Amino acid sequence: TAHPALPPGRVSYSGLATYERCAYRFFLGSVVHLPAPPAAQGGDALAFGSAVHQVLERLRTPNDDPCPLIEAAGRAAGLARATVRRLAVAVEAYLASAIATEVFAAERVMREAPIAVPLGATVLAGAMDAIAWTGSEALVVDYKTGTAPLMASDAEERYRLQGACYALAALAAGATTVRVVFMELERGRETSYRYSAADQPRLRADVEAILDR
């Protein structure tokens, strides 16, 4: 079956990953907006992940009490009590991490920071969970939830394109070095990538190559 020849005008990193695998599937989901099958929509997992993001977005200092935020997010998402306890464990895992300490100590932090990077005829769009700046050094943090088995090597490959997209956005915003950290809060693991301004042409070329397929 033929798929659209023109690249999308606007794409997120997840859309870019779909486009890389199958441009026609991207067209059906992001242009025609054909809904995914119910089994693929992941309602419970999505609600839990959204609750985690809501809590962490609102924690601005290491002294903030997360308990009211956890309860409020749990109610808003309609989470069962056992899942609210799971939410609390995920939040505490973040707060106990060295990355959280680094974010809280940064000169400035943007949470849910928007992305809009022109790539030829396409705009790479989306948001970063958090970007913390110290001078021109940027730390991008992405929160991941889920407990299904995932080998470290598979995680590194899975997050590579997303990390490149975040790095492009941070470099476009003036960063000279970028560290992107994917925090798997329930697996207790971090997957990180480092970039410098010298990587920007290669990153752009890699992403544009996907769009030109």
Side-chain angles (χ1 to χ4, degrees):
T1 303
H3 59 68
L6 294 176
R10 188 178 181 89
V11 66
S12 65
Y13 85 85
S14 58
L16 184 65
T18 301
Y19 193 85
E20 181 179 29
R21 292 192 300 270
C22 178
Y24 190 64
R25 179 174 294 180
F26 173 88
F27 175 77
L28 291 177
S30 298
V31 180
V32 179
H33 300 294
L34 187 70
Q41 293 176 8
D44 290 345
L46 184 60
F48 177 76
S50 295
V52 169
H53 282 73
Q54 287 173 20
V55 174
L56 297 184
E57 182 184 355
R58 289 165 174 76
L59 290 172
R60 300 308 172 93
T61 78
N63 299 318
D64 289 350
D65 182 3
C67 293
L69 298 174
I70 291 168
E71 291 297 325
R75 286 193 302 272
L79 302 182
R81 290 309 305 171
T83 309
V84 173
R85 289 192 291 272
R86 179 184 162 202
L87 171 60
V89 170
V91 170
E92 288 302 326
Y94 172 75
L95 291 174
S97 70
I99 291 295
T101 300
E102 191 172 347
V103 170
F104 288 136
E107 294 173 0
R108 62 190 191 280
V109 181
M110 290 183 64
R111 295 169 175 84
E112 290 300 312
I115 294 173
V117 181
L119 296 169
T122 301
V123 174
L124 177 63
M128 295 177 281
D129 291 343
I131 180 168
W133 293 88
T134 301
S136 62
E137 298 178 355
L139 166 63
V140 178
V141 182
D142 188 272
Y143 317 124
K144 299 293 186 187
T145 55
T147 58
L150 181 65
M151 294 180 59
S153 58
D154 293 336
E156 184 173 352
E157 184 59 31
R158 176 181 294 185
Y159 305 143
R160 186 178 306 280
L161 179 58
Q162 187 176 1
C165 291
Y166 288 164
L168 270 176
L171 291 168
T176 54
T177 63
V178 183
R179 180 160 48 108
V180 181
V181 180
F182 295 91
M183 299 194 67
E184 298 176 294
L185 299 172
E186 298 186 279
R187 295 190 186 96
R189 182 173 65 196
E190 297 174 4
T191 302
S192 63
Y193 308 85
R194 292 178 181 270
Y195 308 89
S196 70
D199 295 315
Q200 191 171 15
R202 174 183 59 82
L203 293 172
R204 290 184 65 91
D206 288 348
V207 174
E208 288 174 349
I210 294 172
L211 296 168
D212 289 340
R213 290 179 182 176

